[in-house]
Amino acid sequence: MAETETPERKYAAPRPSVLSLNISSKSALYAAYMPFLKNGGIFIPTTRQYNLGDEVFMLLALMNDSSKLPIAGTVVWVIPQGAQNSKAQGIGVHFKSDESGVEAKRKIEGLLGGVLQSSRPTHTM
């Protein structure tokens, strides 16, 4: 009996979600920024379901800057609906170590300056 070949099926990886986030104040930026991540990261309020490790792409607008930073990242934090301590539902995204991630971290930390040393609570810690 001859073996039959079946055509290989190629499955494309799911495209990363695209999220848009506008942060209009230094206090909102402080609450959303995740400086404890190696490449920096940001908390994004969302009701959409995500899993740890999901790839996302975001367009981040910071305060008075009219341009949006395009940033790729990975979900590393999930706060589900109805979380303890009345935390906002959403995800924490770790910036990639590429040029856009490095630029986002630099820009955010420049805007926050000494506020990064504050002990005020944030969305994640």
Side-chain angles (χ1 to χ4, degrees):
M1 193 189 280
E3 289 185 36
T4 58
E5 291 185 34
T6 57
E8 284 186 38
R9 292 185 182 176
K10 294 189 178 185
Y11 294 99
R15 290 182 56 203
S17 296
V18 178
L19 300 164
S20 185
L21 181 63
N22 296 312
I23 297 181
S24 58
S25 71
K26 190 181 272 193
S27 61
L29 181 58
Y30 171 81
Y33 186 54
M34 301 171 75
F36 52 86
L37 296 174
K38 180 181 178 185
N39 303 321
I42 198 100
F43 178 81
I44 303 171
T46 180
T47 57
R48 187 169 171 192
Q49 293 280 12
Y50 286 91
N51 295 307
L52 295 177
D54 285 353
E55 299 290 317
V56 295
F57 184 80
M58 69 194 95
L59 295 171
L60 179 62
L62 297 171
M63 297 192 270
N64 297 328
D65 193 345
S66 61
S67 64
K68 292 190 177 205
L69 299 171
I71 310 162
T74 305
V75 175
V76 295
W77 192 280
V78 176
I79 298 178
Q81 181 178 10
Q84 293 180 356
N85 302 328
S86 301
K87 292 279 189 185
Q89 180 179 358
I91 57 172
V93 178
H94 188 196
F95 300 151
K96 297 278 186 200
S97 61
D98 61 11
E99 188 177 325
S100 65
V102 170
E103 174 65 13
K105 180 179 179 178
R106 184 195 63 74
K107 195 165 203 170
I108 290 169
E109 290 183 355
L111 288 167
L112 290 176
V115 176
L116 282 172
Q117 309 309 318
S118 175
S119 61
R120 290 186 323 209
T122 67
H123 290 303
T124 55
M125 294 278 191

